[in-house]
Amino acid sequence: TSLSALKPAPSPDLDLARLKALLGARPVVLIGMMGAGKTSVGRRLAALLDWSFVDSDAEIEEAAGMSIPDFFAAHGEAEFRSGEARVIARLLKEPEQVLATGGGAFMNAETRELIRQSAVSVFIKADLDLLFERVSRRATRPLLQTADPRGTLARLIEERYPTYEEADIVVTSADVPQDQVATRIAEALLAQLGDADEKVATA
């Protein structure tokens, strides 16, 4: 589907021209747990900005010539993480794009630093119940192939959320249409970048 079909109705308070000027060409990187909606929200955010959308997991699958579950099975998580870091480093060089990353990507210190230097990061924060309800619909998550997937997901949230909180912007996702989440992210970006811009101007 073309991204324009996914474009959310613009909110009257959202000055998209100003947002794009504040972003410059810096990519917007979405981080968060599996099931947070990074891909579906990312497509809508990209449509709103008239930018391209890239999903790092899809890029990894293309580069590896196999699905992520197959890659995990064949090569293990450590090999996957180093490949993921290389792919994201390459993708961050592309301007004017929304990049959705896999749940573990931001846990890599080098990747985090690269994102900090060259992009604006947004943590889509969702609670355990919402995430588990969403990931339970698909049995393809390698990290959840355990006897207690809910417990595993809870542990991952506990491990990862303190690091995810280092993102430039944190937006809480609720069980609402993804259009609304995309618009909320655009508004949060505008508010945060606009504040920073005003502080520089008045310094």
Side-chain angles (χ1 to χ4, degrees):
T1 54
S2 85
L3 285 181
S4 55
L6 293 171
K7 196 167 189 167
S11 130
D13 312 325
L14 184 55
D15 184 343
L16 279 171
R18 175 159 162 72
L19 173 55
K20 287 169 85 161
L22 288 165
L23 282 166
R26 279 178 301 173
V28 174
V29 177
L30 302 182
I31 60 175
M33 286 294 294
M34 55 188 102
K38 291 167 299 206
T39 302
S40 47
V41 170
R43 287 182 198 283
R44 287 162 173 81
L45 183 62
L48 204 54
L49 293 167
D50 289 317
W51 280 11
S52 53
F53 171 76
V54 185
D55 183 310
S56 68
D57 279 356
E59 292 286 316
I60 292 161
E61 290 186 332
E62 196 170 310
M66 63 175 81
S67 73
I68 285 172
D70 286 348
F71 192 97
F72 259 75
H75 303 289
E77 185 174 357
E79 184 65 27
F80 172 76
R81 294 297 169 207
S82 65
E84 177 177 57
R86 287 194 300 273
V87 167
I88 290 172
R90 171 172 62 80
L91 294 173
L92 284 170
K93 296 184 177 124
E94 298 295 321
E96 299 194 350
Q97 66 170 355
V98 176
L99 170 61
T101 59
F106 200 68
M107 302 305 289
N108 177 312
E110 284 174 34
T111 299
R112 246 190 343 272
E113 184 55 27
L114 269 178
I115 291 171
R116 199 178 62 75
Q117 288 171 8
S118 58
V120 182
S121 53
V122 180
F123 167 27
I124 304 179
K125 188 173 188 175
D127 66 25
L128 174 61
D129 289 339
L130 179 60
L131 291 173
F132 190 68
E133 191 266 316
R134 285 181 181 164
V135 298
S136 300
R137 296 175 199 159
R138 299 219 308 264
T140 55
R141 311 283 184 174
L143 296 180
L144 294 185
Q145 306 302 314
T146 63
D148 175 18
R150 188 185 168 92
T152 303
L153 188 62
R155 197 190 73 246
L156 285 168
I157 287 172
E158 206 171 302
E159 283 170 10
R160 291 175 175 181
Y161 273 20
T163 303
Y164 289 173
E165 298 276 357
E166 293 175 30
D168 297 314
I169 290 166
V170 180
V171 172
T172 303
S173 172
D175 202 3
V176 296
Q178 303 292 28
D179 281 10
Q180 286 181 32
V181 183
T183 304
R184 284 226 305 270
I185 290 173
E187 288 165 351
L189 284 164
L190 183 59
Q192 182 118 341
L193 297 172
D195 281 356
D197 191 50
E198 276 157 31
K199 284 192 185 103
V200 170
T202 56

